[in-house]
Amino acid sequence: MEKDLQLLKQLTETAGPSGFEARIHKVLEENISQITPEIIKDHLGSIVGITGKKGPKILIAGHMDEVGLMVKAITNDGFLKFQTLGGWWGHVMLAQRVKVLTKNGDLTGVIGSKAPHVLSIEERKNVLKPENMFIDIGASSKEEAESFGVQVGDPIATVCPFEVLPNPKFLLARNWDNRAGCYVALKTLEKVAADKKSSNVLYAGATVQEEVGLRGAQTLVNKVNPDISFALDVGVAGDTPGMKEKEGHTELGKGPLLGFFDASMIPHPKLRDFVVGVAKELSIPYQVDIMPGGGTDGGKFHLGYQGVPTLVVSVPARYIHSHVSIVHKDDLDHSVELLYQVIKRLDEKTLKLITEMNGEIH
């Protein structure tokens, strides 16, 4: 398996539910340290590597956490009740394998509920709520479950191996939201560091706890205090059956998504137009993303200190916030190339034109 695919496999197969990112934090630190010895962290677990010596401070970051679960209670019969970490939809949860991450090791379980055979016709029409589900780890009692090492508060991660599909451009994994953004941050850092002609200082890495309230983004932006920032995430692909154009017109393989609007942020218009201009100049494909609901780390990045011109650059993905999702390798590569070309051009003069309300860039 080629080096980039090995990295993608490592990122996506490492567990890191929101609030429990220690494993993926370690993987990111190991990979960042191979690119640059300069690393900073905040006190929640967000991490960035630094390259460049002088000029504007540019922050690019994905979020390392993934939607997951947490043990809320152990029943007398040995089943686990759980709390969701991040947004889940009941339809995608049942009969899925999970890993309970205990201090004694990882335990396999399956999400279950009352059998559909005994549900009323009316009950079958409704989406089952997570509070009516449980996890079966093969324990016969609460005492046996505890003897396996399970404790209330243990995190729970999804199960799905990384896989290259028959069309090798299509990549399947359990948590592209948001290991895709982590990958883009790492590869951009690597490319900028190798160039050795920077006119700015790049801080590239990942935040924690995005899925539960953009928390690591707030602490990281205050730690770095950047002049410009880019939140790297995934967006909903609209190229599957049943999706109407008003619900999403973005497609896998047609380029990264530039966020023109979401519920947490309206991007800085001059930065947005500058990035679009670079993409057009170099014929790098991109798509426009307007998302009336939801938000990204950009919602906190742009509010740092006096305000930080910010843009969201996302990779389109199918089936996010479930046990499995699909992205396109070209979108990952084009995201890296676009960010690299933009960062090359973000010198002091360009920063001034972006931040001055009366300045013109083009």
Side-chain angles (χ1 to χ4, degrees):
M1 185 180 288
E2 66 171 274
K3 183 180 177 182
D4 286 353
L5 293 179
Q6 286 282 9
L7 176 58
L8 289 166
K9 177 180 173 67
Q10 181 188 34
L11 290 172
T12 56
E13 292 188 353
T14 302
S18 300
F20 300 91
E21 298 95 345
R23 295 185 187 184
I24 187 60
H25 176 101
K26 182 179 179 182
V27 166
L28 287 167
E29 184 169 13
E30 290 171 351
N31 280 278
I32 290 171
S33 65
Q34 293 173 21
I35 303 169
T36 174
E38 293 188 71
I39 295 174
I40 64 171
K41 310 170 187 179
D42 66 22
H43 291 167
L44 294 187
S46 302
I47 181 172
V48 289
I50 308 169
T51 187
K53 298 300 181 184
K54 61 181 181 179
K57 295 163 67 176
I58 314 299
L59 170 64
I60 67 169
H63 65 85
M64 69 180 81
D65 62 313
E66 61 193 69
V67 293
L69 311 168
M70 183 176 70
V71 178
K72 182 168 68 174
I74 307 172
T75 72
N76 290 333
D77 296 329
F79 296 98
L80 311 182
K81 302 295 287 184
F82 57 84
Q83 168 66 46
T84 56
L85 300 175
W88 281 96
W89 185 42
H91 270 320
V92 304
M93 300 181 75
L94 286 175
Q96 297 291 342
R97 293 172 64 208
V98 294
K99 289 286 184 182
V100 185
L101 313 181
T102 81
K103 292 181 179 178
N104 293 351
D106 297 352
L107 298 175
T108 298
V110 62
I111 300 177
S113 69
K114 186 192 294 186
H117 309 75
V118 299
L119 296 177
S120 69
I121 294 175
E122 195 59 35
E123 285 177 315
R124 294 184 193 184
K125 294 179 182 178
N126 299 323
V127 178
L128 197 67
K129 295 180 179 179
E131 54 261 38
N132 296 323
M133 301 178 192
F134 53 82
I135 293 173
D136 187 345
I137 59 169
S140 59
S141 66
K142 180 177 181 181
E143 291 73 22
E144 186 173 29
E146 291 175 336
S147 75
F148 296 161
V150 180
Q151 299 179 11
V152 170
D154 283 343
I156 303 165
T158 57
V159 174
C160 180
F162 172 81
E163 187 172 349
V164 180
L165 296 180
N167 178 338
K169 295 287 189 179
F170 287 78
L171 306 175
L172 179 148
R174 58 190 193 86
N175 53 5
W176 286 124
D177 187 6
N178 182 30
R179 303 303 160 73
C182 296
Y183 173 83
V184 171
L186 287 172
K187 296 302 291 184
T188 305
L189 177 64
E190 181 180 68
K191 196 161 185 171
V192 172
D195 193 4
K196 301 185 185 301
K197 296 179 181 178
S198 64
S199 54
N200 50 52
V201 184
L202 176 64
Y203 296 73
T207 66
V208 296
Q209 298 192 44
E210 189 268 358
E211 297 290 1
V212 290
L214 318 181
R215 296 167 186 173
Q218 182 167 340
T219 53
L220 182 62
V221 76
N222 289 334
K223 178 78 173 179
V224 174
N225 191 18
D227 297 299
I228 297 282
S229 72
F230 295 93
L232 313 180
D233 214 313
V234 295
V236 176
D239 57 356
T240 54
M243 290 287 283
K244 301 174 183 177
E245 186 167 343
K246 68 177 181 179
E247 297 168 332
H249 57 274
T250 57
E251 301 179 48
L252 265 60
K254 296 298 178 68
L257 311 180
L258 302 184
F260 278 27
F261 178 89
D262 66 44
S264 69
M265 186 188 76
I266 300 171
H268 192 283
K270 286 190 175 182
L271 178 60
R272 180 199 72 185
D273 293 347
F274 176 68
V275 174
V276 168
V278 172
K280 288 181 175 179
E281 174 193 344
L282 300 175
S283 299
I284 300 173
Y286 71 92
Q287 304 176 78
V288 172
D289 190 27
I290 295 178
M291 183 175 64
T296 72
D297 278 340
K300 294 297 184 181
F301 285 169
H302 83 292
L303 298 177
Y305 290 101
Q306 300 180 68
V308 181
T310 299
L311 182 70
V312 180
V313 178
S314 297
V315 173
R318 297 173 181 166
Y319 325 122
I320 60 172
H321 284 226
S322 73
H323 287 70
V324 61
S325 52
I326 296 175
V327 299
H328 196 285
K329 183 62 163 56
D330 288 351
D331 296 329
L332 294 167
D333 294 341
H334 284 132
S335 296
V336 173
E337 181 62 18
L338 179 57
L339 285 162
Y340 168 67
Q341 295 294 343
V342 166
I343 291 164
K344 278 177 62 175
R345 292 160 171 76
L346 282 174
D347 54 17
E348 292 282 5
K349 179 181 177 182
T350 304
L351 173 66
K352 187 175 181 181
L353 289 171
I354 288 172
T355 55
E356 285 185 351
M357 295 304 291
N358 60 347
E360 293 295 334
I361 296 174
H362 301 299

